Amino acid sequence: MRLTLPSSGLAAQPLNPCFRSLHVCGRTTGYDGGMRNHELVLSWIEAELAAGRLAVGQRLPGERAVAEQLNVSRASAREGIRVLEAMGVVRAGVGSGPGAGTVITANPAVALGSALRFHVASSHLPVEDIVQTRLLLETWAAGHASATAPSMETAAALLDDMDAPGLATAEFLRLDALFHVALAEAAGNVLIGAMMSSLRGSIETYTQQLTSRLPDWNTTAERLRAEHRAIHRAIGGDGGDPAVLIAAHIEGFYREAGL
Amino acid sequence: MRLTLPSSGLAAQPLNPCFRSLHVCGRTTGYDGGMRNHELVLSWIEAELAAGRLAVGQRLPGERAVAEQLNVSRASAREGIRVLEAMGVVRAGVGSGPGAGTVITANPAVALGSALRFHVASSHLPVEDIVQTRLLLETWAAGHASATAPSMETAAALLDDMDAPGLATAEFLRLDALFHVALAEAAGNVLIGAMMSSLRGSIETYTQQLTSRLPDWNTTAERLRAEHRAIHRAIGGDGGDPAVLIAAHIEGFYREAGL
DNA sequence: CGTTCCGGTGTGGTAGGACCACAGGGCGTG
DNA sequence: CACGCCCTGTGGTCCTACCACACCGGAACG
């Protein structure tokens, strides 16, 4: 239960490694607190990020440079960077010039999304829990959405797109998901927007399966369109409680699909 | 135990172009959809998980075995496994015997937690958003908590621990965090419990800084203890709305600290 | 017969070197 | 001036060889 090194708590287990053995595994300086080498990379980058020496949009030093700087092998540096990529903190690109190399990004949604998918796959995260959470987040977001938020225009455009005749079901659902995410973003909370985005992604296939259980898709789609318009109007201040409307909207869909 | 490759006929054929192109390096004519090799490992394990061939508690094949099976190098296999570890899907342990090797776990909280920390560090995730989200999740959880949930006993024990005289501030905060997480878990939603746990972890240092701005810690601690008891009683049905109480509890703390 | 010790074995962790595919940028040639 | 080739730096991959670790079974000892 080591609470040392508070600024970077990735190392949960001691896992006392091999590097303090005289000179073999490199880094004779020691004092890594039992951290594996790739975690060393993680905590270093976290510190650089927190100190402002690295910022979104900048490029990370090359893998070889990172490895040399931290006295680890390139493989260890790569492992750390790989984790960062999975967390949506960086984006790797080959070649040279702008856009190449490892660039710092800020995409919390990918981190949550992929992790959620895995835990759903391992049957330790019931889909009902995700749906329930989604309902909670969206209801809150609708209640706090600002009519003047830029994403509200995006939402309006998506509504028009969804009116296109002969739209395939999958395409409709995709636009639907984007619409809901746009609403969540209109509340101005980055975290909740990211969570909504991840949640929708992790239950996307599930939602598609649900549509096949509907009695008549066209009728449902028409109703969804109308409800979307009503929610959008309500956020604009045109009568009605957005939170109530969106809660009914979501619950109605799952109920009709036979939840 | 030999795991079989997801049928797909061409498993016998070199799935990896590494063997075609003069036996060097990967993916010349990739039929892997442009997927990097470590992503191949990820999708394979996800498939095995979804198919039930891998389950929580079981051990993953050794890194060397995974590498050979997917026709990738051990380094690539390790990168994939490292990502899984960061997502809380597996846990790596050296040595032999039970507990050693790469064991499948289910710990969504670590994934969200570490990712959140990084995005806070990169200044793309305001702490206020996290606090706001925490308030939302906890209020909901308190309103849906079951008095008979096992974690309610844990919560009660934590309350007693917090009554210990001469408790250090940091230790009190640690117990406090565990208490709130226990309450969230009592609502029975795995995802929300995991999110709460991550959120608390990612703002832990921030909370500790806040305490230094309080006029008198002892007074505040006494008030927090009383409020905790009241919330716990309310969930047990002993009068009062748990959601209202916990919302006031959280908001009160941040207000007193000068939010 | 029980106990202790020691090496074998399999696991993750690490290092280092090598090569490939890619994308620019600079320089040379037309 | 324009075109095209090579040089350079980047991530991506592979291989091989180690180390540290923890169990486990057989050998040696009391």
Side-chain angles (χ1 to χ4, degrees):
Chain A
M1 202 65 65
R2 312 164 308 109
L3 288 185
T4 61
L5 202 54
S7 67
S8 59
L10 273 184
Q13 294 291 327
L15 286 178
N16 208 347
C18 58
F19 350 111
R20 56 189 79 247
S21 71
L22 299 186
H23 54 67
V24 178
C25 290
R27 281 171 42 289
T28 56
T29 56
Y31 292 133
D32 46 26
M35 196 177 285
R36 285 122 101 206
N37 281 5
H38 80 270
E39 293 173 326
L40 196 65
V41 177
L42 289 179
S43 60
W44 177 70
I45 292 184
E46 183 181 2
E48 294 289 306
L49 237 31
R53 285 187 291 271
L54 286 178
V56 173
Q58 288 184 355
R59 282 183 39 182
L60 220 58
E63 297 176 347
R64 295 162 178 88
V66 171
E68 187 183 2
Q69 180 149 359
L70 298 180
N71 280 315
V72 301
S73 72
R74 194 183 159 207
S76 296
R78 279 180 62 81
E79 287 184 13
I81 294 175
R82 193 66 55 238
V83 170
L84 289 178
E85 194 182 14
M87 295 195 303
V89 177
V90 302
R91 188 216 61 196
V94 293
S96 71
T102 305
V103 181
I104 307 199
T105 61
N107 197 344
V110 315
L112 311 188
S114 51
L116 256 40
R117 276 215 337 278
F118 271 91
H119 286 106
V120 169
S122 71
S123 311
H124 261 257
L125 220 176
V127 177
E128 301 86 59
D129 285 12
I130 295 187
V131 171
Q132 198 174 37
T133 306
R134 179 201 157 188
L135 182 59
L136 171 64
L137 294 182
E138 283 207 69
T139 305
W140 180 90
H144 291 73
S146 156
T148 60
S151 66
M152 284 302 284
E153 297 182 15
T154 308
L158 287 167
L159 285 180
D160 292 339
D161 291 346
M162 275 187 272
D163 283 342
L167 206 59
T169 304
E171 180 65 7
F172 182 90
L173 289 178
R174 196 182 67 83
L175 295 172
D176 182 306
L178 291 177
F179 172 73
H180 282 266
V181 171
L183 289 191
E185 287 173 351
N189 187 308
V190 179
L191 178 57
I192 289 185
M195 284 181 172
M196 259 303 298
S197 179
S198 322
L199 263 43
R200 288 294 305 212
S202 62
I203 60 174
E204 189 176 347
T205 58
Y206 179 75
T207 305
Q208 300 218 3
Q209 291 174 354
L210 278 188
T211 59
S212 63
R213 297 164 57 177
L214 291 172
D216 178 21
W217 166 247
N218 284 329
T219 306
T220 300
E222 201 52 50
R223 181 171 60 75
L224 294 180
R225 285 193 191 93
E227 292 177 351
H228 286 162
R229 294 281 180 188
I231 293 167
H232 191 261
R233 273 197 307 272
I235 294 178
D238 250 3
D241 183 346
V244 172
L245 289 176
I246 202 165
H249 171 64
I250 299 173
E251 286 175 340
F253 175 77
Y254 286 110
R255 192 176 355 254
E256 187 178 23
L259 185 71
Chain B
M1 115 181 122
R2 294 297 287 182
L3 294 172
T4 51
L5 216 55
S7 48
S8 75
L10 48 81
Q13 274 300 317
L15 176 59
N16 190 310
C18 182
F19 290 147
R20 313 189 193 117
S21 69
L22 308 183
H23 66 67
V24 193
C25 195
R27 303 190 305 89
T28 55
T29 65
Y31 273 113
D32 46 18
M35 196 179 281
R36 285 119 103 210
N37 280 4
H38 80 269
E39 293 174 319
L40 196 64
V41 177
L42 289 179
S43 59
W44 176 68
I45 292 184
E46 183 181 1
E48 294 288 309
L49 235 32
R53 286 185 290 271
L54 287 178
V56 173
Q58 288 185 354
R59 282 182 41 182
L60 219 57
E63 297 176 345
R64 297 163 177 86
V66 171
E68 186 185 3
Q69 186 135 13
L70 298 180
N71 279 317
V72 300
S73 73
R74 192 181 160 209
S76 296
R78 278 181 62 81
E79 287 184 14
I81 293 175
R82 192 68 54 239
V83 170
L84 290 178
E85 192 182 17
M87 295 196 304
V89 177
V90 303
R91 188 216 65 202
V94 293
S96 70
T102 306
V103 181
I104 311 226
T105 61
N107 196 343
V110 314
L112 310 187
S114 51
L116 256 41
R117 278 215 336 282
F118 271 91
H119 286 106
V120 169
S122 71
S123 311
H124 261 257
L125 218 176
V127 177
E128 301 85 58
D129 285 12
I130 294 186
V131 171
Q132 198 174 36
T133 306
R134 179 201 159 189
L135 183 59
L136 171 64
L137 295 182
E138 285 207 67
T139 305
W140 179 90
H144 291 74
S146 157
T148 59
S151 67
M152 285 301 284
E153 297 181 17
T154 309
L158 287 167
L159 285 180
D160 292 339
D161 291 345
M162 276 187 272
D163 283 341
L167 206 58
T169 304
E171 180 66 7
F172 182 90
L173 289 177
R174 196 182 67 83
L175 296 173
D176 182 307
L178 291 177
F179 172 74
H180 281 267
V181 171
L183 289 191
E185 287 173 351
N189 187 309
V190 178
L191 178 56
I192 288 184
M195 284 182 172
M196 259 304 298
S197 178
S198 325
L199 262 42
R200 288 294 306 213
S202 61
I203 59 174
E204 188 176 347
T205 60
Y206 179 76
T207 306
Q208 300 218 3
Q209 291 175 355
L210 279 187
T211 58
S212 63
R213 297 163 58 176
L214 291 172
D216 178 21
W217 166 247
N218 284 329
T219 307
T220 300
E222 202 49 52
R223 182 171 58 75
L224 294 180
R225 286 192 192 92
E227 291 177 352
H228 287 161
R229 293 281 181 190
I231 293 167
H232 191 260
R233 273 196 308 272
I235 293 177
D238 250 4
D241 183 346
V244 172
L245 290 176
I246 203 165
H249 171 64
I250 299 174
E251 286 175 339
F253 176 78
Y254 286 111
R255 194 179 350 259
E256 187 177 23
L259 184 72

